[in-house]
Amino acid sequence: MEISYLRISVTDKCNLKCFYCRPDNQEFIPHEEILRYEEIARLVKAMTKYGLRKVRITGGEPLVRPQIENLVKLIREIPEIEDIGMTTNAITLKHHAEKLKEAGLDRLNISIDSLKPELFHQITKGRLEDVLEGIRMSKKLGFDPIKVNAVIIKGLNEDEALDFVKFAIDYGVEVRFIEMMPIGQGYIKWDEEMVKPLDQVREKIEERYGRLIPSTSIGSGAARVYEIPKLGVKIGFITPISNPFCDGCSKLRLTAEGKIKLCLRTDEELSVKEVLRYGTDEDLDEFLRKVLIAKEISNLNIQKSNYAFSDCVRVMTSIGG
Ligand code: SAM
C-alpha cells in the first residue's frame, strides 16, 4: 500500500472559538512537545519513499504558529512533493499570504461556515470581513484554486447553500460543503440532529442551477466534486455521515505533538516523535513500514465497522481537520 497524502497539524492553538470544534478549558500541548519544522520535514522526506506526494498544513490554526512559511520552504525543497496546501480560517491571512506564496505554497482551503457576518461571529467569535480580505488578497497573489469549506449545520446555516454558490461565482473560488462529524467535540456537543444530509443541499442547488455534472478533476478523495453547467464553478460534497467513502484511503494525519493518526473515525495513533528526535534513518524507515501495515488493518476494520465513528477523544484542533 502507498501513502500519498499527509495532513500535518502544526499547532493545537487557534484564534477562533467555533462552538463545535473548541472545547472549554482546552489544555494545550506544551511547547517542547510540539514537533519542530525540521522534524516534520524529515518525516515528509522519509514518507516519499512510500508514495507521499501531497501534504496539507493545518491545525489548530496554522497561521498562529510563528514563521509558518519556513515549514513551507523546507517541504518545498523536497523534490518528490508535488503539492503543498494549507487549511486556514484566514483571519490573519492578509498578513501571511505573500510570504506563503514566496515560500512555495500551492493552494489554500479556507473555512467559512456563514456568509452572514453576525452568524459567522456567533459560530466562530471572529470577524467575517477579515476572512474576505484574506481571500481577496490571495486571489490577487494568484492562489488558484482557493477552496472554501463550509460545515453545514441543520437549523443554523443550511439556508445559505445558494449564497455559498453565488459567493463561489463572485469570488472565483470553489466551495466544499461538509457534514458535521461526531469528533473534536467543542463547547456545544455534537448531536445527530445537527447533521444536514448534503444530498438535500445538492437538490436545492440543482433546482436553481440545473443538474450538476460530476467533475473530472482528481482531489484528495474525500469530496465528491461537481460542476455547475456553463458556469464551470466547482462544488464539492463531503459526506462522512450520510454517505461515507473511505475505500482505498491512503491519507494519514500527523498531530502537532508527533502522533500519526490512521483515521479520523478512530483514536488509533502511533507516536513518531521519539524516532524523529532520537532515531536513525533506518529506525524511521522501520517505523514507517509498521505504519503502512497498521493503516491497511485500520482500513479493513473501518469497513467491518460499517464506517462507524468510535468515541474520538481528541479534539479537532489537535487532530488537524
Ligand atoms: N483552523 C483551520 C481552519 O479553520 O480551517 C484548520 C483547522 S480546522 C479544525 C479544519 C476544518 O475542520 C474547519 O473547516 C472546521 O470547520 C472543520 N471541522 C472541525 N470540527 C469538525 C466536525 N466535527 N465536523 C466537520 N468538520 C469539522
Side-chain angles (χ1 to χ4, degrees):
M1 124 163 253
E2 284 207 333
I3 292 297
S4 57
Y5 183 39
L6 179 68
R7 291 179 76 100
I8 302 167
S9 172
V10 291
T11 179
D12 57 345
K13 300 208 169 96
C14 187
N15 47 1
L16 288 182
K17 198 165 191 321
C18 301
F19 72 83
Y20 58 86
C21 189
R22 294 276 307 278
D24 279 328
N25 310 320
Q26 187 186 348
E27 278 184 34
F28 294 105
I29 308 166
H31 177 72
E32 63 281 8
E33 298 298 326
I34 301 264
L35 286 188
R36 295 186 284 267
Y37 291 157
E38 291 72 18
E39 292 169 335
I40 296 173
R42 181 178 174 211
L43 176 65
V44 169
K45 173 73 191 160
M47 287 180 75
T48 60
K49 180 175 166 189
Y50 297 102
L52 186 62
R53 297 291 176 266
K54 196 170 167 181
V55 301
R56 173 162 295 281
I57 300 170
T58 175
E61 170 49 40
L63 297 181
V64 303
R65 180 134 174 204
Q67 275 100 43
I68 188 63
E69 64 279 3
N70 289 350
L71 176 62
V72 177
K73 274 186 209 151
L74 286 176
I75 298 177
R76 189 77 287 168
E77 283 165 14
I78 303 171
E80 294 89 342
I81 296 300
E82 293 160 5
D83 193 284
I84 310 175
M86 179 177 282
T87 299
T88 170
N89 61 34
I91 289 289
T92 62
L93 184 58
K94 57 178 178 285
H95 305 301
H96 296 271
E98 203 163 346
K99 279 183 264 175
L100 290 169
K101 187 78 187 160
E102 277 166 22
L105 187 73
D106 293 305
R107 15 159 120 243
L108 281 165
N109 282 21
I110 295 175
S111 307
I112 308 180
D113 291 345
S114 176
L115 295 165
K116 298 174 184 164
E118 250 184 72
L119 183 56
F120 181 87
H121 183 262
Q122 189 188 322
I123 296 171
T124 65
K125 303 281 178 279
R127 227 172 63 103
L128 178 64
E129 188 50 34
D130 291 331
V131 182
L132 301 182
E133 273 181 56
I135 296 182
R136 286 191 288 262
M137 166 163 277
S138 307
K139 280 294 286 183
K140 265 195 213 141
L141 288 167
F143 280 106
D144 190 42
I146 293 176
K147 293 179 189 166
V148 166
N149 292 338
V151 177
I152 298 297
I153 306 159
K154 217 190 245 176
L156 203 64
N157 60 356
E158 60 181 306
D159 59 337
E160 288 194 60
L162 292 178
D163 297 342
F164 273 106
V165 174
K166 174 138 190 342
F167 178 82
I169 297 167
D170 293 347
Y171 272 69
V173 298
E174 298 182 16
V175 62
R176 297 273 185 278
F177 296 110
I178 305 173
E179 285 171 355
M180 181 129 86
M181 295 176 273
I183 35 172
Q185 311 278 333
Y187 60 87
I188 293 181
K189 299 290 169 236
W190 183 88
D191 186 308
E192 211 176 332
E193 285 299 304
M194 293 174 171
V195 180
K196 172 83 181 172
L198 290 184
D199 49 355
Q200 295 171 17
V201 170
R202 196 178 131 188
E203 276 165 24
K204 203 158 181 191
I205 296 171
E206 291 193 322
E207 270 170 31
R208 167 74 178 76
Y209 290 99
R211 206 170 170 71
L212 299 179
I213 307 163
S215 169
T216 46
S217 67
I218 300 163
S220 65
R224 291 181 172 87
V225 184
Y226 296 84
E227 280 176 34
I228 296 185
K230 296 199 189 98
L231 293 173
V233 177
K234 287 194 181 135
I235 302 176
F237 299 90
I238 301 181
T239 54
I241 307 294
S242 68
N243 192 1
F245 66 121
C246 312
D247 300 356
C249 170
S250 66
K251 183 191 283 189
L252 288 175
R253 290 180 159 78
L254 175 68
T255 70
E257 83 275 44
K259 304 261 170 66
I260 291 194
K261 193 168 165 60
L262 300 173
C263 169
L264 260 189
R265 290 168 191 273
T266 76
D267 271 327
E268 291 173 277
E269 299 175 343
L270 290 95
S271 178
V272 67
K273 185 164 55 199
E274 293 69 26
V275 190
L276 281 175
R277 292 215 166 144
Y278 312 113
T280 62
D281 287 350
E282 289 69 35
D283 296 333
L284 183 54
D285 190 60
E286 194 186 321
F287 171 85
L288 289 178
R289 275 184 271 130
K290 278 190 205 142
V291 170
L292 290 189
I293 294 167
K295 174 70 181 173
E296 225 161 316
I297 296 170
S298 167
N299 277 0
L300 290 173
N301 287 341
I302 292 296
Q303 281 170 30
K304 270 195 227 148
S305 76
N306 213 10
Y307 307 104
F309 282 86
S310 70
D311 291 335
C312 252
V313 290
R314 236 180 215 290
V315 296
M316 197 69 154
T317 43
S318 80
I319 296 169

